[in-house]
Structure formats: C-alpha cells, structure tokens
C-alpha cells in the first residue's frame, strides 16, 4: 500500500513538474516574442523628429548657442520631441469582406476613419487623435501604372484610394497623414475593412453607449428594424449595430462626416476601455482579435510587435479626455464637404502630445 502511494506521489510530482516546465516554456516564449517586438518597433523611425522648427518662433542669440536639433519654441518656452513616443495610424476603409488587391488606379477604397494612436511610455498613457476624413491636405495622384502625376489639395481620405488597395495604398495614406502632422514619425499602420467592426465588437461582448444621434441601419437586415438606435438611447451594441453606428452617414446633411467622426470616436473610446480590461483578464484575447480579422486587415505590425504593444498598453492610462480632435471648419465645396484644419490649434496639439519642456537648468 505504502509503495503504491509513493508511486502515485512520484507520478503526481512528475506531472506537476511537466506542467511547470510547459508554463515556463510558454512564459519564456512570450518574453522572447515581447522582446523581439520591442526591438523591431524601436528601430522604426529611429532618430526621426517632426519638422516643426520652421513653423515655430525664432530663438534668440543666446538660445541659438545651446540649440539642439529638433527643439522648437512655443509661447516663449523651448520644447524637445519625446523620442520615446510611438505613433500608429489606424484606418477604417470603406470596403467590406476580406481584403483583396486591386489593379493600380483609384479603387483602393477611401479611409473613412483615421485615428492616430500615441503611446507615451514616460506618462504610461496613450492618446488618440481623430483625423477628419475631409481634412484638406496635399494628396498625391498616381496613374494606372502607379506613376506619380502631381500633388493636389483634396480630402485626406481619398489618398488610400490610389494604389493597389493593400500595402501600397496604406503607405500612401501614411505619408499623407505624416505630412499633415509636420512629418510626424509613424511607427506602424493598420487598415481594416469596415465590417471587421462586427467581429471586433462581438468578441468582447458588445459595446454599451448612449447614442449621439438617430442612426439608421447600414446593413440590409430586417431584424435591425428602421433604426439601429435613437438619439439619447443607451444601448448595448452588438457587432451589426456597432457597424451601422460607426458607418452610417446622412449624405444629404451638411456636416454629416463630422457627426459620424464624433460617433466613431465615442465608439472607439469605449471599445479601447473594454478591450484593455478584457486583455488584462486574458492576454490571449490579443491574438484572438488579431487572427479573427486578419483577412480583413492590412498592417505592417507583426505578431510579436502586437504582443509587445498589447502588453505595454494594458497598464497604460486611458480616458475619453485623452481623445483629441483636429480643430477646424467644415465648408461645402463645389461637390463634397471640405474640412480646413486650424493650423495654430494643430501646432499647439503637437506640442501638447509629442513634446516636453526643455529644462533650462540642464
């Protein structure tokens, strides 16, 4: 009997040892992936800074003697770009289903949603900047063979339409956004076709919010009824309703793109908060979300970089106060709405988020 008990104890010890060994291997593997992601992301845009000096106030002679590359002067104070910051561009493309490469031309799909996600390791916080799809900026035109034609002023969202609908279109869009933000370093991009919202919402159990306006279904589905939600109504949006909430737009109403952007910003803020909490409870959700929309997504952010960023952001502070919108004015153009960015407000926003004061005593 005692021999049998000893044998069982040895088996149990062996099983526990095997489990611990497996856990250790998994943890070491995750640590290796995390470290690999950190290294590769940090190499991107290395030693790059926004080109804001020419637009800022001039320094005096005494300041010129101590001036460092990348410093700017704003409201009589000197600032340096925070090189620890990492910035990523997220794009919602006005297409559905899986991503498919298209022939060179203008069929790449427009970027109806544009958000810059800014991670600040020093603050252990991240900010989100929403970019109006109708922001007027320099757009590069290309012909059907991919050759550059010219640069024109147009709505920033149309830049993604040029190219092949996948990496090339994303790179064009990144360049347009980077240039709007004074050649801001952008460390990666992620573009998703809009119906990926359905999966991303359902996987975290829906999003509860109070609707900012009446929103009609953007999906031909009798079960959704005449309205997805009514203004002022607090509702738990499942994937289909969330899709309609972020995509619906009354094209006959002036300023409808601005209202949709406000809804997109509200939805994204709630999605980030709920997802952060869910990832803290189950880190594998990160890879589940990634894999669930991989066929509807184009990104230059690798899996190991996603693991690193998710681990980093899980402990970062975030609230709706860390959402920022470009200030400006929407006017009706000859054919489409045009949003003109307030350059003074944009410059101040750049200082607020991407810069830190230079210690005069250093």
């Amino acid at each position: 009997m005692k021999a049998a008990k000893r044998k069982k104890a040895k088996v149990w010890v062996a099983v526990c040892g095997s489990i611990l060994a497996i856990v250790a291997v998994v943890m070491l593997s995750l640590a290796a992936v995390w470290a690999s992601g950190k290294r590769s992301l940090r190499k991107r845009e290395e030693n790059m800074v926004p080109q804001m000096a020419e637009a800022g106030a001039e320094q005096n002679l005494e300041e010129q003697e101590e001036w460092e590359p990348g410093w700017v002067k704003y409201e009589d104070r000197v600032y340096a770009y925070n090189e620890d910051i990492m910035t990523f561009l997220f794009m919602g493309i006005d297409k559905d289903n899986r991503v498919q490469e298209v022939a060179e031309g203008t069929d790449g799909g427009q970027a109806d949603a544009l958000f810059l996600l800014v991670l600040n390791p020093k603050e252990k916080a991240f900010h989100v900047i929403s970019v109006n799809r109708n922001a007027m900026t320099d757009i590069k035109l290309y012909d059907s063979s991919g050759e550059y034609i010219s640069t024109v002023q147009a709505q920033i969202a149309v830049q993604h339409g040029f190219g092949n609908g996948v990496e090339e279109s994303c790179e064009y869009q990144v360049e347009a956004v980077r240039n709007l933000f004074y050649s801001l370093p952008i460390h990666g991009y992620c573009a998703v076709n809009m119906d990926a919202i359905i999966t991303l919402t359902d996987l975290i159990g829906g999003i509860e919010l109070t609707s900012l306006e009446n929103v009609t279904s953007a999906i031909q589905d009798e079960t959704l009824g005449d309205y997805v939600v009514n203004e002022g109504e607090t509702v738990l949006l499942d994937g289909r309703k969330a899709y309609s909430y972020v995509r619906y737009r009354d094209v006959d109403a002036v300023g409808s793109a601005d209202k949709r952007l406000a809804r997109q910003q509200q939805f994204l803020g709630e999605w980030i908060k709920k997802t952060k909490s869910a990832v803290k409870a189950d880190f594998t959700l990160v890879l589940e979300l990634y894999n669930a929309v991989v066929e509807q997504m184009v990104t230059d952010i690798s899996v190991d970089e996603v693991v690193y960023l998710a681990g980093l952001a899980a402990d970062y502070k975030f609230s709706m106060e860390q959402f920022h919108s470009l200030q400006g004015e929407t006017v009706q153009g000859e054919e489409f709405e045009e949003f003109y960015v307030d350059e003074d407000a944009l410059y101040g926003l750049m200082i607020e988020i991407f810069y830190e004061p230079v210690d005069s005593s250093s």
Side-chain angles (χ1 to χ4, degrees), residues 17-18 42 116 144 184 186 224 227 241 247 301 351 354:
S18 299
R42 286 298 177 186
L116 283 171
S144 58
L184 175 71
I186 294 179
L224 291 178
Y227 280 98
K241 288 186 177 182
R247 190 157 191 189
I301 308 172
I351 296 293
F354 298 100

Side-chain angles (χ1 to χ4, degrees), residues 215-241:
V215 177
T216 302
S217 173
I219 301 176
Q220 297 302 314
D221 189 332
E222 294 179 358
T223 63
L224 291 178
D226 293 334
Y227 280 98
V228 175
V229 289
N230 295 297
E231 182 178 353
E233 178 185 0
T234 298
V235 62
L236 178 66
L237 299 177
D238 63 13
R240 294 177 307 163
K241 288 186 177 182

Side-chain angles (χ1 to χ4, degrees), residues 40-58:
S40 59
L41 277 174
R42 286 298 177 186
K43 287 180 181 177
R44 299 188 185 193
E45 306 290 307
E46 197 170 21
N47 300 320
M48 300 295 292
V49 299
Q51 302 302 306
M52 293 180 60
E54 293 182 1
E58 294 184 1

Side-chain angles (χ1 to χ4, degrees), residues 289-354:
L289 289 167
Y290 185 94
N291 290 328
V293 297
V294 69
E295 291 189 348
Q296 298 160 282
M297 174 176 67
V298 180
T299 183
D300 65 347
I301 308 172
S302 64
V303 172
D304 57 341
E305 291 168 345
V306 169
V307 170
Y308 168 66
L309 291 172
L312 203 65
D315 293 323
Y316 276 28
K317 297 177 294 184
F318 177 74
S319 70
M320 292 305 291
E321 292 179 358
Q322 288 155 266
F323 249 108
H324 311 269
S325 299
L326 294 187
Q327 302 300 305
E329 180 185 12
T330 294
V331 300
Q332 182 61 51
E334 291 184 6
E335 189 172 0
F336 303 109
E337 291 180 8
E338 300 171 355
F339 179 82
Y340 290 90
V341 176
D342 182 326
E343 291 294 338
D344 291 337
L346 174 58
Y347 196 91
L349 182 65
M350 291 288 295
I351 296 293
E352 176 187 350
I353 296 178
F354 298 100

Side-chain angles (χ1 to χ4, degrees), residues 103-105 141-149 162-164 168 172:
E104 289 278 357
L141 307 182
Y142 298 86
D143 63 21
S144 58
S145 62
E147 294 295 321
Y148 169 76
I149 301 173
F162 292 92
N164 60 4
E168 188 178 53
Y172 290 162

Side-chain angles (χ1 to χ4, degrees), residues 116-190:
L116 283 171
L117 177 66
V118 184
L119 280 74
N120 187 333
K122 291 183 179 179
E123 293 180 352
K124 296 204 76 173
F126 56 90
H127 298 263
V128 179
I129 303 173
S130 56
V131 182
N132 193 306
R133 70 163 322 277
N134 291 326
M136 301 298 287
T137 191
D138 286 343
I139 297 298
K140 290 186 176 180
L141 307 182
Y142 298 86
D143 63 21
S144 58
S145 62
E147 294 295 321
Y148 169 76
I149 301 173
S150 64
T151 299
V152 299
Q153 276 270 310
Q155 292 83 351
I156 197 168
V158 307
Q159 184 66 87
H160 188 277
F162 292 92
N164 60 4
V166 285
E167 289 83 2
E168 188 178 53
S169 294
C170 288
E171 289 162 7
Y172 290 162
Q173 188 67 65
V174 168
E175 183 182 7
V177 173
R178 177 186 282 125
N179 290 340
L180 177 64
F181 285 82
Y182 299 94
S183 299
L184 175 71
I186 294 179
H187 297 79
Y189 65 77
C190 179

